[in-house]
Amino acid sequence: MSAVRSSAQARGRDGPLLAVQDLHTWFELRQWGFLRVGSVRAVDGVDFELARGEAVAFVGESGCGKSSLARTLLGLHKPTRGEVVFNGTRVADLRGKDMQWYRASVGYVQQDPYGALPPFMDVRRILSEPLIVHGISSRVERERRIRQVLDEVRLSPAETILDKFPHMLSGGQQQRVVIARALVLEPSMIIADEPVSMLDASVRVEILNLLRRIQTERELTLAFITHDLSTVRHFADRIFVMYAGRIVEQAPVDELLAHPQHPYTQSLLAAIADVDAANARQQREVPGGEPPSLLHPPPGCRFHPRCPHAIAGVCEVDDPPQFEPRRGHRSACWLHR
Amino acid sequence: MAQKTLLSVEGLELQYQTRRGVARAVDGVSFDILANEALVVLGESGCGKSSLAKALLRVLPRNVHRFSGKVMLGDTDIMALSEEAFRRDVQWTRIAMVMQAAMNALNPVVRVGEQVAEPLRVHMGWSRARAMERVARTFEQVGVSTDFLQRYPFELSGGMRQRVVLAMALVTEPELVILDEPTSALDVLTQAGIMNVLKRIKQEQGTSFMLITHDVATSSEIADRVALMYAGQVVEVADAQDFFHAPAHPYSQMLMASVPRLRQREEPAHIPGQPPDLIDLPSGCRFADRCPSRFGRCAEDPEPIRLARRHHVRCWLHAGRSGGGGA
Ligand SMILES: Nc1ncnc2c1ncn2[C@@H]1O[C@H](COP(=O)(O)OP(=O)(O)OP(=O)(O)O)[C@@H](O)[C@H]1O
Ligand SMILES: Nc1ncnc2c1ncn2[C@@H]1O[C@H](COP(=O)(O)OP(=O)(O)OP(=O)(O)O)[C@@H](O)[C@H]1O
Ligand SMILES: [Mg+2]
Ligand SMILES: [Mg+2]
């Protein structure tokens, strides 16, 4: 264990596990490889903290920056501005062994389960690789950990699975292998990016239940990314709603679902049907237009061009700060002013 | 309701030849769709939904082992038509389809307006000018600005591309539109927008729809009727009201219990186990080994049992009191 890591753990024990401040991740867009056209502001001013053992969900439309945020938290993108502090240590300062420790502490379930597993490796090899990289040189110890984690994701008996290649597994089994790989290094936090969107409805619930159970048993911090609000109630304690690179609303799950404050969140909720034969006979309310370009985001509130409640002279002029319209419930909207 | 029957399917079978043996992807499927009615076909991955759609539109792969059954479209027995007659008189003109993942299959180097005009020009022999005029109208119906006619697919968002492939299926004003997972890859707002378009077109043009999905919540946005498939068979077919609120088959009941509900507290439950291999099907009821209500008679293959008008279920629990009981 390195010096940075042990002192950081001592400092960080009582604070949040993860603290994110003023985080920006911009991608430079170039034409013909050199001409700078502008920046895609995928993450554009994000602040939040995650407590140990907490499960949270990041929700938002396609392209709003959820995966970019996840990858920045993991240290895969360098923030353009702001910082990610894990367990009291700035992730940007981590080098060598310490960066390796961080990678082992934060498990990643990446979007697209089908592309996530290398096709030419069997399951044993897929799960051994991270252990080897992180210095578990004993074959016996590796085998013990692999079997334990396969058992945990309910892929047992291990013998029936270990020698299989990804194409021999069903979508649900592949997704469990991806989760097992994220867990095998015994991380303290998991970031799961759309862990079920490619799966069948009946398998989805099974995988989500599995993640939630492991999260509770291991007392993991779980950040769960999705565009589907209907699943989050059962799998998260808190929700962050993202729009165009920013967090526009955050609250505990029940509070947010019962009293959505931001017009964007309200429209997301209104778009989701509770199964009812009557749905077929009415049009559902959907905000017009499309999410804004992250290359040239609109001035003021980014939702104002689609917002049914936009206040002329205000919303298109100034960026709304985070208000707290209800206790423990924040929303970045001028309606709360 | 005195709607006419538009499509009537009886004992449809589609089997594939594979190295391991014959896969019975569509195995004796019967249902009908009335004029201006939307039937949703639900079922887990691999149960044969896309195969059913492809069988109806006769877009078949080379390794078909058996393709049989009776399909009436209005008064036409379309299974009896020659390849040529089917292509000329049915495909695209009377039945059109949006294939699974079609939005990713748009030709990247052809402007979307031209691509949508293709069915009109190729299948109906329309002039370019006449076709483009119709395409512009269809774009408006599906909520795509006519400015987009000249664009290439990569210049459109996923939601817009899906509307474009929808326009391609609607442009010939067919009587039946088959949609295979049209919104699964899209986020909730885009999904809701597309379902709004379908509802409006159904209402305004009297079109019939067959929508394939594994997402129960989305299915409720259009379904008049629901057919649930399991391992190549339809295990229950019913009016949406009955299916969503009082399903009869144990599989239907478990499926409904697995739907995450935004506005309710009950935890969704999953259905343990896996569906059977279509190449090596068990004898008797195909759902039996996952079924909590299994009893002796399930070793026999259940025939569809009529519960009410247009409500059928393949399950021995409904075989009437005398039929219940032991093996
Ligand atoms: N490496 C990159 N270089 C340039 N642009 C990028 C890069 N990664 C993401 N982007 C852009 O940043 C924006 C946010 O993308 P991101 O993948 O984070 O969205 P998302 O919310 O995860 O969407 P989805 O729900 O579709 O997965 C998009 O406009 C995307 O095209
Ligand atoms: N050309 C083919 N040759 C052999 N088997 C096939 C062929 N096409 C499909 N199958 C098999 O037939 C079964 C039914 O496939 P189908 O695509 O109809 O399922 P589906 O219900 O549409 O599934 P999904 O929800 O994943 O799209 C599957 O087991 C599939 O692997
Ligand atoms: Mg993403
Ligand atoms: Mg399919």
Side-chain angles (χ1 to χ4, degrees):
Chain A
M1 188 187 288
S2 83
V4 176
R5 179 179 165 189
S6 46
S7 64
Q9 275 181 335
R11 256 185 289 130
R13 185 123 329 220
D14 306 319
L17 180 69
L18 188 82
V20 169
Q21 284 144 23
D22 193 35
L23 195 67
H24 293 69
T25 305
W26 293 6
F27 300 108
E28 255 181 37
L29 206 63
R30 285 167 196 274
Q31 209 162 19
W32 304 303
F34 60 92
L35 199 66
R36 202 169 165 277
V37 180
S39 301
V40 177
R41 306 172 181 197
V43 179
D44 201 29
V46 162
D47 296 78
F48 64 88
E49 292 187 346
L50 302 187
R52 279 155 224 281
E54 187 181 28
V56 302
F58 290 86
V59 182
E61 269 167 291
S62 186
C64 72
K66 304 181 297 294
S67 297
S68 304
L69 173 63
R71 296 172 63 81
T72 311
L73 298 182
L74 284 155
L76 299 172
H77 294 313
K78 198 170 141 25
T80 313
R81 192 162 92 214
E83 58 186 19
V84 178
V85 178
F86 181 80
N87 223 347
T89 310
R90 284 169 44 126
V91 171
D93 294 342
L94 297 173
R95 297 281 177 276
K97 277 253 174 298
D98 294 314
M99 192 63 198
Q100 222 178 60
W101 157 78
Y102 180 64
R103 292 262 157 82
S105 305
V106 184
Y108 181 32
V109 177
Q110 77 181 64
Q111 198 168 354
D112 179 15
Y114 301 109
L117 297 174
F120 49 87
M121 288 192 195
D122 62 15
V123 172
R124 176 181 279 109
R125 174 104 187 272
I126 288 169
L127 297 178
S128 300
E129 208 93 319
L131 293 170
I132 295 171
V133 170
H134 287 89
I136 315 281
S137 53
S138 151
R139 182 181 293 267
V140 180
E141 171 63 9
R142 286 203 302 264
E143 190 77 10
R144 187 189 67 75
R145 288 229 206 162
I146 288 171
R147 282 169 187 267
Q148 189 186 328
V149 78
L150 284 177
D151 197 48
E152 223 174 337
V153 299
R154 300 284 189 272
L155 280 174
S156 46
E159 286 67 36
T160 60
I161 249 14
L162 278 170
D163 299 322
K164 290 210 163 114
F165 288 85
H167 73 269
M168 303 171 177
L169 304 172
S170 71
Q173 288 174 324
Q174 289 186 25
Q175 191 56 294
R176 283 159 201 260
V177 173
V178 174
I179 292 171
R181 185 177 59 180
L183 287 169
V184 74
L185 291 168
E186 301 177 357
S188 46
M189 174 167 166
I190 295 270
I191 298 177
D193 193 353
E194 306 267 14
V196 295
S197 66
M198 303 288 284
L199 300 172
D200 221 319
S202 51
V203 186
R204 270 184 207 187
V205 173
E206 190 178 355
I207 298 284
L208 289 171
N209 280 334
L210 178 82
L211 266 175
R212 181 63 154 161
R213 187 176 47 72
I214 294 172
Q215 183 256 332
T216 321
E217 279 172 16
R218 287 199 180 190
E219 295 176 41
L220 286 171
T221 301
L222 174 66
F224 166 57
I225 293 170
T226 178
H227 65 247
D228 182 7
L229 263 165
S230 65
T231 49
V232 301
R233 151 164 270 151
H234 311 286
F235 309 105
D237 308 315
R238 230 165 13 125
I239 300 183
F240 297 95
V241 179
M242 285 187 73
Y243 189 75
R246 300 202 168 150
I247 292 172
V248 295
E249 181 162 2
Q250 52 185 303
V253 172
D254 289 332
E255 161 68 22
L256 188 131
L257 295 180
H259 308 286
Q261 298 292 308
H262 198 287
Y264 175 62
T265 311
Q266 291 166 354
S267 63
L268 269 186
L269 289 169
I272 297 171
D274 264 351
V275 181
D276 188 335
N279 293 342
R281 293 185 289 278
Q282 62 220 13
Q283 292 272 307
R284 200 159 279 284
E285 251 176 71
V286 184
E290 298 224 346
S293 147
L294 299 178
L295 195 58
H296 306 291
C301 169
R302 288 176 183 190
F303 188 57
H304 88 259
R306 303 170 78 187
C307 183
H309 308 294
I311 311 165
V314 177
C315 298
E316 78 278 20
V317 180
D318 289 317
D319 232 343
Q322 297 271 346
F323 293 94
E324 191 166 343
R326 295 168 58 90
R327 230 176 123 230
H329 190 151
R330 278 191 266 167
S331 164
C333 173
W334 285 119
L335 290 173
H336 312 305
R337 123 193 97 135
Chain B
M1 267 204 287
Q3 286 159 291
K4 280 196 313 197
T5 302
L6 175 69
L7 184 83
S8 166
V9 177
E10 228 182 281
L12 190 65
E13 295 192 23
L14 177 61
Q15 304 178 348
Y16 302 115
Q17 185 66 57
T18 75
R19 249 188 303 157
R20 285 198 302 127
V22 171
R24 301 161 75 145
V26 180
D27 201 24
V29 164
S30 306
F31 61 87
D32 47 33
I33 300 179
L34 304 185
N36 199 18
E37 189 173 66
L39 173 79
V40 166
V41 179
L42 286 171
E44 289 173 75
S45 183
C47 70
K49 304 182 295 298
S50 295
S51 300
L52 170 61
K54 290 177 189 162
L56 292 176
L57 205 63
R58 272 206 225 174
V59 280
L60 301 172
R62 277 206 226 140
N63 61 330
V64 169
H65 174 75
R66 182 190 167 92
F67 175 45
S68 65
K70 187 169 173 193
V71 182
M72 296 292 294
L73 179 66
D75 301 325
T76 320
D77 179 356
I78 60 172
M79 289 295 277
L81 294 179
S82 70
E83 277 305 304
E84 199 211 325
F86 187 87
R87 220 168 295 143
R88 189 187 55 226
D89 301 334
V90 178
Q91 244 180 17
W92 290 108
T93 51
R94 298 190 66 191
I95 307 179
M97 171 146 110
V98 175
M99 304 246 202
Q100 197 164 359
M103 63 185 241
N104 302 322
L106 284 168
N107 187 336
V109 296
V110 179
R111 296 177 199 275
V112 294
E114 303 286 342
Q115 297 194 53
V116 173
E118 222 173 86
L120 293 172
R121 306 203 55 203
V122 175
H123 294 269
M124 299 170 71
W126 286 22
S127 72
R128 184 170 184 283
R130 187 173 170 214
M132 289 314 282
E133 204 171 301
R134 169 72 73 81
V135 171
R137 213 175 73 212
T138 312
F139 265 42
E140 271 162 25
Q141 281 171 348
V142 300
V144 179
S145 152
T146 47
D147 300 345
F148 285 23
L149 286 166
Q150 301 301 322
R151 301 225 187 152
Y152 291 97
F154 72 87
E155 296 177 285
L156 306 184
S157 67
M160 282 298 150
R161 285 208 305 272
Q162 189 59 36
R163 285 171 195 249
V164 166
V165 294
L166 190 60
M168 207 186 293
L170 292 167
V171 75
T172 56
E173 301 188 340
E175 292 150 84
L176 175 66
V177 178
I178 301 176
L179 304 155
D180 195 354
E181 305 273 10
T183 62
S184 311
L186 304 171
D187 65 52
V188 288
L189 290 179
T190 317
Q191 254 177 30
I194 287 185
M195 295 313 289
N196 279 343
V197 168
L198 295 179
K199 282 184 237 192
R200 213 178 41 243
I201 285 170
K202 175 167 178 272
Q203 202 176 23
E204 289 172 4
Q205 323 235 346
T207 314
S208 297
F209 288 94
M210 177 170 135
L211 178 116
I212 292 172
T213 178
H214 59 241
D215 181 349
V216 178
T218 305
S219 80
S220 75
E221 293 283 359
I222 187 131
D224 296 308
R225 309 249 311 145
V226 177
L228 175 61
M229 282 187 78
Y230 189 77
Q233 297 178 323
V234 169
V235 295
E236 181 164 358
V237 55
D239 282 342
Q241 177 71 24
D242 296 329
F243 188 90
F244 293 142
H245 304 285
H249 197 288
Y251 179 52
S252 314
Q253 292 163 358
M254 292 172 85
L255 180 74
M256 290 308 297
S258 77
V259 179
R261 314 266 171 156
L262 180 62
R263 295 164 186 90
Q264 284 166 30
R265 257 162 222 283
E266 297 116 70
E267 294 258 334
H270 74 266
I271 307 171
Q274 298 233 349
D277 184 354
L278 295 175
I279 294 173
D280 184 21
L281 286 165
S283 61
C285 171
R286 294 174 185 182
F287 188 63
D289 70 332
R290 300 172 80 183
C291 184
S293 320
R294 174 184 57 226
F295 64 110
R297 192 148 183 206
C298 303
E300 290 169 51
D301 206 356
E303 284 295 308
I305 291 163
R306 182 179 182 278
L307 294 183
R309 203 180 80 83
R310 304 190 81 209
H311 190 169
H312 293 86
V313 61
R314 263 186 206 262
C315 173
W316 289 122
L317 289 172
H318 298 278
R321 253 162 256 131
S322 58

